[in-house]
Amino acid sequence: MENQLAKSTEERTFQYQDSLPSLPVPSLEESLKKYLESVKPFANEEEYKKTEAIVQKFQNGIGEKLQQKLLERAKEKRNWLEDWWLNVAYLDVRIPSQLHVNFGGPASHIEHYWPPKEGTQLERGSISLWHILNYWQLLRKEKLPVHKVGNTPLDMNQFRMLFSTCKVPGITRDSVINYFRTESEGHCPSHIAVMCRGRVFVFDVMHEGCLMTPPEILRWSSKRLLTSGPLTVVASPVAEHRLSGHGSRAQPLHGMWDLPGPGHEPVSPTSAGGLSTTAPPGKPSCF
């Protein structure tokens, strides 16, 4: 997998981050033109003319003042839009995160390599998890090729948020805490959490620098998950409204995980009270 995704290049995944240009602010005329183009397919002739009049009034009035404020903001921030987008589209949303914000599911390649069959859920899950962990290692080693448009590198920072990232519930706004580190930056969490029948199981997928193999993940899953009885505690509130979830879920999670503020290392999950934990089953083989 590493040979397929990481081509023969000395470029590191995040090496261009500090040299990327700041996000430019489009001109007011360009923004309003694109807005009208996006509205046109959904408006009849009368509605579109009214919209044009409103846009023209905005351009000749407060629009210019707001444009200047954007330009001033862009002088102070490399990405003038990032915080607004993160807060409004993600952290301020009070509807349940499950389905509405966080989603996942089977991909076509899963069906290609192993057609679904009753009784193989843990086997398929072990293989899928192993491939995901290999991708995590590519990011840790910075061997994922830099995305580019032609010869121009793109921002790769979002890949840091794929792993070791927590969305912590808040009353009016959630917060994001990220613990991902590349190998050159230092320690990075290497455990995974599995929810099953209302319980949360945590185990480390690394042993002496090597990933657990799919059979070892399967052996752990079969031993721990299939023998656990049902218990409704942490898992059920995950689909609640964010405001109600702050009381019923956020405080218990803070108590169990002792979540720190940004810049501080988290308490080891294997010592967190209330969670079932286990060490890797045996010594994994290196690849």
Side-chain angles (χ1 to χ4, degrees):
M1 181 178 181
E2 182 176 309
N3 291 335
Q4 293 175 347
L5 291 180
K7 302 175 183 177
S8 56
T9 175
E10 295 182 357
E11 287 184 330
R12 291 176 290 105
T13 304
F14 304 110
Q15 78 174 65
Y16 298 115
Q17 290 304 116
D18 294 336
S19 61
L20 291 173
S22 300
L23 182 70
V25 179
S27 66
L28 179 60
E29 292 74 16
E30 181 182 358
S31 297
L32 296 179
K33 180 182 178 181
K34 289 185 176 181
Y35 173 73
L36 288 174
E37 290 174 351
S38 67
V39 168
K40 196 168 187 177
F42 304 98
N44 57 38
E45 185 175 352
E46 181 181 355
E47 291 171 334
Y48 186 73
K49 287 183 178 179
K50 288 182 179 180
T51 303
E52 278 187 314
I54 294 173
V55 168
Q56 188 64 41
K57 182 179 179 181
F58 177 84
Q59 182 175 2
N60 296 331
I62 195 174
E64 192 60 43
K65 295 180 180 179
L66 294 177
Q67 180 73 6
Q68 289 302 315
K69 289 183 178 293
L70 281 183
L71 293 173
E72 293 173 6
R73 179 180 173 87
K75 293 178 182 179
E76 302 173 355
K77 295 179 175 289
R78 293 187 65 193
N79 190 326
W80 56 269
L81 180 61
E82 183 177 24
D83 291 342
W84 287 342
W85 170 253
L86 180 64
N87 291 334
V88 174
Y90 190 53
L91 299 180
D92 290 348
V93 176
R94 300 293 86 194
I95 57 179
S97 289
Q98 282 287 62
L99 300 181
H100 297 285
V101 181
N102 300 332
F103 56 90
S108 58
H109 69 273
I110 297 179
E111 315 304 325
H112 293 162
Y113 79 79
W114 192 353
K117 182 180 178 181
E118 185 176 354
T120 63
Q121 182 177 2
L122 290 181
E123 294 175 88
R124 295 166 61 83
S126 300
I127 293 176
S128 295
L129 176 58
W130 182 78
H131 282 293
I132 292 172
L133 292 172
N134 272 273
Y135 197 84
W136 168 73
Q137 280 202 320
L138 286 178
L139 291 174
R140 284 270 291 149
K141 298 176 183 293
E142 293 195 75
K143 291 187 176 182
L144 187 70
V146 179
H147 291 193
K148 297 181 179 181
V149 175
N151 294 322
T152 303
L154 300 178
D155 191 343
M156 299 291 288
N157 188 63
Q158 192 67 12
F159 284 92
R160 288 180 172 272
M161 312 301 287
L162 289 176
F163 300 97
S164 306
T165 303
C166 310
K167 185 184 181 188
V168 182
I171 296 179
T172 59
R173 173 178 293 171
D174 296 345
S175 58
V176 173
I177 303 178
N178 177 261
Y179 300 108
F180 176 81
R181 301 291 185 274
T182 63
E183 287 187 346
S184 63
E185 293 170 341
H187 171 74
C188 178
S190 57
H191 64 274
I192 68 166
V194 180
M195 281 189 177
C196 180
R197 300 177 182 177
R199 298 179 184 270
V200 181
F201 299 87
V202 179
F203 70 100
D204 202 314
V205 297
M206 299 291 293
H207 182 71
E208 296 183 357
C210 298
L211 278 179
M212 293 174 62
T213 64
E216 286 166 334
I217 297 175
L218 174 61
R219 189 169 69 212
W220 179 91
S221 302
S222 301
K223 179 180 179 181
R224 301 293 295 183
L225 304 184
L226 295 181
T227 58
S228 64
L231 176 66
T232 303
V233 282
V234 178
S236 55
V238 74
E240 289 186 357
H241 188 278
R242 301 303 286 177
L243 186 57
S244 61
H246 181 266
S248 64
R249 176 186 56 181
Q251 296 308 317
L253 283 179
H254 272 280
M256 287 193 302
W257 290 82
D258 192 21
L259 293 175
H264 298 277
E265 289 298 321
V267 172
S268 171
T270 56
S271 64
L275 299 181
S276 299
T277 64
T278 184
K283 181 180 179 181
S285 302
C286 293
F287 288 85

